[in-house]
Amino acid sequence: MNDSLPALDVLPMARPEIGAREQELVAEVLSSGVLSLGPMLTRFERAVAEWTGATYASAVSSGTAGLHLAIRAAGIAPGDEVVTSPLSFIASANVMIYENATPVFADIDPVTLNIDPAKARAAVSSRTVGLLPVHLFGAAADMTAIEAIASDHHGLWIVEDACEAVGAIDADGRQVGTRGHSAVLGFYPNKQIATGEGGMVLIGDKQVKNRIDSERNQGRAPDMGWLDHENLGYNYRLSDVAAAIGVAQVEKLDEMLDARARVAGWYTELISELDGVTPPAADEGAARRSWFVYVVQLPQGIDRDEVIGRLKSEGVSSKPYMPVIHLQPFYREKFGYAPGDFPIAEDVAARSLALPFYPSMKRGEVERAVETLQRALS
Ligand SMILES: Cc1ncc(COP(=O)(O)O)c(C=O)c1O
C-alpha cells in the first residue's frame, strides 16, 4: 500500500445502525450467562410480533433457516413443486432443493420486479403444493392475486419470503406477515433489522409455531428433556446475543425505516434527472415499500462492469444486484436452464445496479453517488 496516497473515503453498500442500546442489551445477556434459549430470545420474538402485528413469531439463525422450516411446516415432500420467482436471492429456491422438491419459476412483472401472478398461475401443475412469493427489494408482491391462485387450486400453501421487506405494506394496506401465511424475515447486516446473522418466521397458526420451534431446536418438544428428540430437527437457533441486538433494533425500527425512505427519496429525486436510468417503481395505492436497497436499472447497451469499475475508482461501492437464480451454474446443471427461459427477469437482472444505501446516509453522500454514476455513464 502506498502511504503517500490519502485514504479514499468509500461509500459502502450498507452500514448497520449499531449504537449504545445494542451494546447495553448485549452486555445484559453476557452478564446473565444465558446465551441461548433464554429470555432475550422470547423478548425479541414478542417485540417483532408486536411491531409487525403478526400473531406469532419464531426466531431462527438466518432467513434461509426460516424459509426451510416454514416450507417444511407448510408441507413438502420429494418430487413436489413450488412456484417462485427467478429474481431473488438464491436461498428462496434452494430451500425446496433441501427437501428434494423442485422450485418452478414464473417470470416477473417488469415494473414491480415481483412474480407476475398470471405467469405464476400458468406454472401451477398437478405436482404443485405451494407458492413462495418474494417481496423483492422491500416491495410487497401482489398477495391478493397469489391468494386467489392458491384457493383456485384447492388450497396450495403460501410462504412469503419477506427477508427484504420487514414493515412493507401490501396493496391491500396490510403489513407483510399478517395475512396468516408464514412470512420469513432476514437480519443479515444489510437488512432493515440487523443482528449479524438471524431471521424470524411470522406465523398465523399455533401448530406451525410449535413445529418450527421444535425443528429449529433438533426436534425437541418444549416439555421434553435436552436429549429427547420427537422429530427430525436442525440447529437453527438464534443466540440470545443476536436477539439482544434485535430487540434494540426493533426499538428504533420506525426511525430507521423513515431514514431509509428519506435517503431513497433523495436518490429518486436526483436519479430522475439522469437520462435513461430508471429508479425503483413508486408505491401505488395503499402499498408502501420498506426500503432495503436502492437499485436502479441502467439503460440498454451499457457495460455495467465498466460502470461498477468506474464507481469503485471514485470510492462509490455498487453491485450487480441481483442476478437471476435459474442461470446460476448449479441450477443450469441440475435443471438444464438456459438464457432466455425467463426473459423479463434476465433483462432486469442484467441492467440492475445497487447503489450505497443505509439509514445514516447524508444527502451529500447521495449526491456524490449520483454524480459519480452520471460521470461513469458519460
Ligand atoms: C430475498 C431473500 N431471501 C432469502 C434471504 C436469506 O437470508 P439469510 O442470508 O439471512 O439466510 C435473503 C438474504 O440475503 C434475501 O434477500
Side-chain angles (χ1 to χ4, degrees):
M1 204 173 133
N2 186 340
D3 289 340
S4 63
L5 288 176
L8 195 60
D9 178 18
V10 175
L11 294 179
M13 290 305 301
R15 183 176 272 161
E17 291 286 297
I18 302 296
R21 182 63 174 154
E22 282 81 357
Q23 292 180 8
E24 184 189 341
L25 291 178
V26 166
E28 192 179 312
V29 168
L30 296 181
S31 55
S32 78
V34 186
L35 304 189
S36 184
L37 296 174
M40 197 58 89
L41 184 75
T42 316
R43 190 164 153 192
F44 184 33
E45 291 177 337
R46 291 208 177 118
V48 172
E50 198 172 301
W51 192 95
T52 56
T55 312
Y56 306 105
S58 288
V60 285
S61 54
S62 69
T64 308
L67 288 167
H68 187 197
L69 295 186
I71 64 166
R72 282 179 56 85
I76 192 156
D80 286 348
E81 293 181 357
V82 176
V83 176
T84 190
S85 172
L87 188 70
S88 177
F89 186 65
I90 195 151
S92 57
N94 277 354
V95 292
M96 269 72 92
I97 299 172
Y98 296 169
E99 293 296 320
N100 294 310
T102 306
V104 171
F105 298 112
D107 212 343
I108 59 163
D109 177 291
V111 176
T112 66
L113 311 188
N114 284 320
I115 197 165
D116 177 335
K119 291 184 178 142
R121 184 179 283 277
V124 172
S125 81
S126 59
R127 286 189 295 277
T128 308
V129 294
L131 307 169
L132 196 145
V134 180
H135 306 303
L136 196 76
F137 304 155
D142 183 346
M143 290 310 298
T144 307
I146 302 280
E147 285 172 356
I149 300 168
S151 64
D152 291 347
H153 290 87
H154 311 293
L156 298 176
W157 53 252
I158 297 171
V159 167
E160 302 172 45
D161 181 342
C163 283
E164 303 187 351
V166 64
I169 307 289
D170 66 26
D172 298 330
R174 291 168 75 174
Q175 170 91 228
V176 157
T178 59
R179 300 182 77 104
H181 326 293
S182 294
V184 182
L185 309 178
F187 305 140
Y188 192 70
N190 61 349
K191 297 292 196 302
Q192 294 92 326
I193 295 174
T195 64
E197 298 290 351
M200 186 80 72
V201 191
L202 306 178
I203 304 165
D205 179 307
K206 182 71 178 157
Q207 277 181 329
V208 172
K209 160 88 175 148
N210 290 343
R211 175 156 176 186
I212 287 177
D213 285 355
S214 169
E215 290 197 357
R216 74 177 171 186
N217 189 21
Q218 307 285 13
R220 297 179 180 106
D223 53 350
M224 288 177 111
W226 188 248
L227 294 175
D228 295 323
H229 304 275
E230 243 181 3
N231 305 299
L232 175 68
Y234 304 84
N235 178 356
Y236 284 167
R237 296 184 298 265
L238 185 75
S239 82
D240 278 49
V241 177
I245 302 172
V247 169
Q249 294 268 293
V250 175
E251 287 175 0
K252 61 186 182 193
L253 185 54
D254 286 304
E255 220 176 286
M256 292 193 295
L257 292 179
D258 286 351
R260 284 176 177 269
R262 192 164 54 242
V263 173
W266 293 331
Y267 260 123
T268 299
E269 177 195 327
L270 298 167
I271 292 278
S272 306
E273 287 165 17
L274 297 193
D275 255 0
V277 180
T278 312
D283 289 332
E284 287 210 9
R288 289 290 168 273
R289 184 191 295 264
S290 167
W291 284 94
F292 161 55
V293 279
Y294 196 88
V295 177
V296 297
Q297 305 289 302
L298 297 180
Q300 297 280 0
I302 291 278
D303 182 339
R304 183 175 54 180
D305 289 339
E306 195 184 323
V307 172
I308 291 172
R310 284 174 149 205
L311 288 169
K312 188 173 176 210
S313 71
E314 296 199 44
V316 176
S317 306
S318 64
K319 255 195 187 165
Y321 187 77
M322 58 168 56
V324 283
I325 297 174
H326 64 282
L327 296 182
Q328 296 293 331
F330 170 67
Y331 278 78
R332 286 189 194 215
E333 208 172 289
K334 186 171 173 68
F335 300 106
Y337 286 119
D341 285 341
F342 302 101
I344 301 173
E346 288 168 33
D347 174 59
V348 168
R351 295 190 295 112
S352 290
L353 187 72
L355 297 170
F357 188 71
Y358 39 91
S360 61
M361 212 171 165
K362 308 269 184 304
R363 183 171 172 111
E365 293 176 319
V366 174
E367 285 169 358
R368 182 180 147 203
V370 175
E371 282 160 15
T372 313
L373 177 63
Q374 185 167 26
R375 275 196 301 282
L377 288 169
S378 65

